[in-house]
Amino acid sequence: MATAPQHVTTLASLNQPVSAWVDEVAKLTQPDTVYWCDGSDAEFQMLERQLVARKELLPLNANTNPGCFLSRSHPSDVARVEHLTFVCTRNKDDAGPNNNWMAPEQAHRQMDELFRGCMKGRTLYVVPYCMGPIDSPFSRCGVEITDSAYVVLNMKIMTRMGRAALERIAHDGAFVRGLHSIGDLNPDRRFIMHFPEELSIKSFGSGYGGNALLGKKCHALRIASWQARTEGWLAEHMLIVGIENPQGEIHYLACAFPSACGKTNLAMLIPPASYKGWKVWTVGDDIAWLHPGKDGRLYAINPESGYFGVVPGTNAKTNRNAYETIRHDTIFTNVALTADNQPWWEGLSDGKPVIDWQGRPYDPANGPAAHPNSRFTVAAKQNPAYSKLADAPGGVPISAIVFGGRRRTLAPLVYQARNWLHGVLVGAGVASETTAAATGAVGVVRRDPMAMKPFAGYNFADYWAHWINVGARLKSPPQLFHVNWFRQDAAGKFLWPGYGENLRVLRWIIDRCTGRAKARDTAIGYMPGAGDLHLDGLDLAPGALDELLAVSPALWRTELAGIGAYMDEFGARLPKALQAELEDAQKRVAGA
Ligand code: GTP
Ligand code: SPV
Ligand code: MN
């Protein structure tokens, strides 16, 4: 093994349990070099230069996109792989019917065989990271061992990575162990294994985001949701956004939408022109850790420090904040290129693609120029709407929790749950059309409770019970809502313009929380009447609003029956209170 530079030895000596584990992994994986990451900008630039020299990172046009790079992943490795993702608990029922399960001993044996000698000729990077502000009592640390420098660069942007995290680990004691290798990128030798009882992760054979950046979905959702249940908090697939009205009053919302269903866009939205004096502040765009506070409210931190966002559809009109954020110092993965080396994607208003995401001359016959799940990785601080409280150790108080999904039909623009328990049912009943964020068919409606189907690290029945318990502990719980930006007309056109205009719906939600807005009591919950939404300056197609706010009792009877059948899969573990709430909901719809 190569001798380590001086500062590297210092880092290793900071933490005995980490270095003992690193030695053990190095023995198994046989790297040429072991490198401890300090998280400095100099280190980031050094790794960028190495990847550029190896042609694994392409510098983009330095005039139009300074500090930007393109990475192309293997064409078979472009999204999360849910069928290869496992939760390995001693007792199979603890993982639940919502997860793939394997016995921990078997999973370790299988993974260790894959890892044996897999880093020969490669560098093993030790990546200490902290999920959440480094000084927050709610933050949790981990160490990812990886043989991918691309992963290191992404982890530097997405987490508080390096020396400070290692110091915190020395102080905390516990840390999540994440072992990752890109292996040979063979989909038959690709697995993402979670061991929540051991606070560990083993991921092999993929270099893509959610499979490889282990701080994100693997740690901050699957492992953290397990920890959160034991410790009395919630780890959720939610954006966190602050909405400031012209009087300067700010309300924070946490919104759970499935992958590629609009979290990043909502978290950064630009108010419509007629909403003068309104401001939007981004706290987080993908994950929220929610803690009951001493004052009986729920407080949220964003465990991440960057955005790993969907590129297609981003432009100056749909989301100027996102567009500005990714103009510089951004890693693009799987976008197309213009003739002058600018990044290009579907939905961008100008330029044209010459090279597609696989590096081939662009030919529409090969499909879209940018991969539909192409992504940007960018520091959250580059966002013009970055909240002053994004790094607050105590988080922000949450006024409303909003569930949502991508539903062509059925789900109206917005409705409010009657109370916390009804809201848990509304969240548990979320269904959404699948997207390109995971491999498999796109556009198929599937159950995705709380947008956590791919991310809950334990049995959903226990998870819903935990949600009910957390609510019971809150003196002033957030109000719970459901939205749908994706209703379509018969011709397949979106009925609601979405993006910035979504603020109109958030305004009604906030006004409901403060008692300022009226609502109709409907069979599915409280809804705005046509006059209760502030729609000045909005040009909706005739009849669109009526359709967006319509509730069809017949369709809802079928929907609730479907939710019931889904919940039956959880058997006797399903909380009785949730079953009773479903029966009440069914009675209300039957009588409508
Ligand atoms: P993940 O990062 O996968 O968790 O996705 P996300 O939930 O953050 O979704 P994102 O905001 O990246 O949006 C995904 C896609 O939906 C993009 O192509 C957006 O352009 C599109 N989108 C976002 N908001 C809206 C909306 O309000 N209406 C419509 N029609 N499309 C939207
Ligand atoms: C998602 O799929 O919900 C994402 C991207 O946010 S990934 O990090 O791959 O999970
Ligand atoms: Mn996500």
Side-chain angles (χ1 to χ4, degrees):
M1 244 178 254
T3 38
Q6 194 56 46
H7 84 279
V8 171
T9 328
T10 331
L11 280 180
S13 66
L14 264 178
N15 199 300
Q16 208 281 324
V18 178
S19 53
W21 177 55
V22 170
D23 288 348
E24 193 188 303
V25 169
K27 220 180 263 159
L28 176 69
T29 58
Q30 310 261 302
D32 274 14
T33 312
V34 173
Y35 179 86
W36 289 66
C37 299
D38 64 10
S40 64
D41 293 341
E43 173 183 275
F44 187 85
Q45 286 149 14
M46 172 201 63
L47 292 173
E48 262 177 359
R49 280 195 302 272
Q50 286 180 5
L51 284 175
V52 169
R54 297 211 302 260
K55 301 216 162 21
E56 290 176 36
L57 216 48
L58 303 174
L60 296 174
N61 187 314
N63 295 319
T64 54
N65 304 80
C68 292
F69 294 87
L70 167 65
S71 164
R72 293 193 185 108
S73 72
H74 190 276
S76 77
D77 186 33
V78 293
R80 284 183 295 100
V81 283
E82 295 180 4
H83 61 298
L84 304 175
T85 300
F86 289 72
V87 171
C88 308
T89 46
R90 280 186 300 253
N91 177 346
K92 182 175 184 192
D93 285 342
D94 290 340
N98 46 302
N99 279 303
N100 300 314
W101 176 85
M102 195 182 287
E105 316 76 66
Q106 189 195 338
H108 278 304
R109 219 178 310 122
Q110 180 175 325
M111 294 307 280
D112 290 351
E113 273 327 299
L114 294 172
F115 278 109
R116 195 175 304 285
C118 75
M119 295 189 190
K120 278 191 187 132
R122 298 182 187 175
T123 298
L124 178 159
Y125 298 96
V126 182
V127 187
Y129 63 87
C130 179
M131 300 311 292
I134 205 97
D135 54 350
S136 167
F138 303 143
S139 300
R140 293 287 185 277
C141 293
V143 177
E144 174 165 358
I145 292 179
T146 179
D147 55 10
S148 160
Y150 166 84
V151 165
V152 178
L153 293 181
N154 277 268
M155 287 292 285
K156 153 86 174 158
I157 296 173
M158 297 302 296
T159 72
R160 281 86 172 171
M161 189 275 265
R163 178 180 289 273
L166 200 59
E167 281 164 3
R168 180 165 166 154
I169 292 170
H171 179 262
D172 286 357
F175 63 97
V176 170
R177 289 157 203 246
L179 174 53
H180 169 253
S181 170
I182 53 172
D184 53 8
L185 295 175
N186 177 349
D188 295 331
R189 291 154 52 80
R190 179 176 296 160
F191 295 99
I192 327 296
M193 300 284 189
H194 302 75
F195 306 89
E197 287 148 337
E198 305 165 22
L199 302 186
S200 80
I201 304 155
K202 289 183 177 173
S203 166
F204 190 91
S206 169
Y208 169 77
N211 303 331
L213 312 177
L214 300 188
K216 196 172 177 55
K217 298 302 170 46
C218 299
H219 176 165
L221 288 178
R222 298 194 192 94
I223 300 288
S225 62
W226 176 285
Q227 281 182 298
R229 180 182 45 153
T230 353
E231 299 172 6
W233 49 284
L234 297 165
E236 299 297 327
H237 191 203
M238 292 176 177
L239 68 93
I240 309 162
V241 67
I243 308 292
E244 180 173 343
N245 69 16
Q247 291 73 47
E249 185 184 314
I250 307 185
H251 283 272
Y252 293 91
L253 278 55
C255 309
F257 310 153
S259 301
C261 290
K263 288 183 301 302
T264 302
N265 277 274
L266 194 73
M268 306 172 83
L269 78 74
I270 305 268
S274 62
Y275 272 49
K276 291 212 172 43
W278 289 75
K279 295 189 182 111
V280 171
W281 303 109
T282 317
V283 178
D285 82 319
D286 196 49
I287 300 179
W289 285 358
L290 303 150
H291 287 257
K294 285 203 183 69
D295 60 357
R297 300 188 71 185
L298 193 61
Y299 284 79
I301 64 159
N302 170 16
E304 302 188 283
S305 61
Y307 310 136
F308 182 66
V310 175
V311 179
T314 307
N315 65 54
K317 251 176 86 188
T318 53
N319 190 339
R320 174 161 280 284
N321 279 332
Y323 183 74
E324 296 296 345
T325 303
I326 62 177
R327 290 270 289 258
H328 64 98
D329 299 293
T330 300
I331 300 174
F332 290 90
T333 301
N334 294 336
V335 296
L337 290 175
T338 63
D340 63 346
N341 222 28
Q342 294 189 47
W344 193 93
W345 53 84
E346 275 68 18
L348 192 66
S349 25
D350 43 3
K352 59 176 210 279
V354 167
I355 305 286
D356 77 3
W357 65 275
Q358 297 190 53
R360 304 172 298 192
Y362 172 58
D363 176 355
N366 289 330
H371 189 276
N373 192 40
S374 50
R375 296 267 168 174
F376 54 76
T377 319
V378 69
K381 288 205 167 100
Q382 290 187 195
N383 174 4
Y386 188 67
S387 165
K388 281 200 285 288
L389 291 183
D391 298 289
V396 294
I398 298 299
S399 301
I401 289 177
V402 184
F403 300 111
R406 195 180 270 271
R407 296 297 295 266
R408 243 166 283 218
T409 58
L410 183 83
L413 183 61
V414 59
Y415 62 102
Q416 179 184 9
R418 315 178 77 82
N419 53 45
W420 182 272
L421 183 57
H422 181 227
V424 174
L425 177 68
V426 168
V430 168
S432 192
E433 290 156 31
T434 50
T435 65
T439 55
V442 166
V444 183
V445 176
R446 71 154 180 187
R447 298 265 144 231
D448 194 347
M450 279 83 171
M452 283 286 279
K453 166 70 185 73
F455 309 120
Y458 64 102
N459 190 318
F460 262 148
D462 302 343
Y463 169 87
W464 296 322
H466 181 52
W467 260 82
I468 294 170
N469 290 338
V470 168
R473 279 172 50 208
L474 297 171
K475 260 205 314 283
S476 316
Q479 297 294 308
L480 306 184
F481 297 82
H482 188 286
V483 298
N484 178 19
W485 315 136
F486 300 96
R487 277 288 288 272
Q488 294 179 10
D489 64 14
K493 206 173 158 279
F494 289 119
L495 285 165
W496 179 251
Y499 299 100
E501 307 296 346
N502 294 336
L503 180 59
R504 300 172 187 274
V505 175
L506 301 189
R507 179 175 180 182
W508 181 79
I509 286 174
I510 291 164
D511 286 348
R512 286 298 293 166
C513 296
T514 57
R516 286 191 287 239
K518 288 210 297 279
R520 296 179 292 140
D521 190 354
T522 78
I524 61 166
Y526 302 118
M527 289 181 63
D532 298 325
L533 293 171
H534 297 266
L535 299 181
D536 36 310
L538 182 66
D539 201 13
L540 278 182
L545 190 62
D546 289 341
E547 206 171 329
L548 284 163
L549 295 177
V551 173
S552 155
L555 289 181
W556 275 97
R557 280 195 283 274
T558 312
E559 180 73 3
L560 290 176
I563 294 171
Y566 177 68
M567 286 185 174
D568 283 346
E569 291 175 29
F570 294 85
R573 261 169 118 125
L574 186 73
K576 300 277 171 299
L578 194 61
Q579 180 68 43
E581 191 62 34
L582 173 67
E583 284 159 19
D584 279 355
Q586 284 176 314
K587 276 184 215 135
R588 282 193 297 269
V589 167

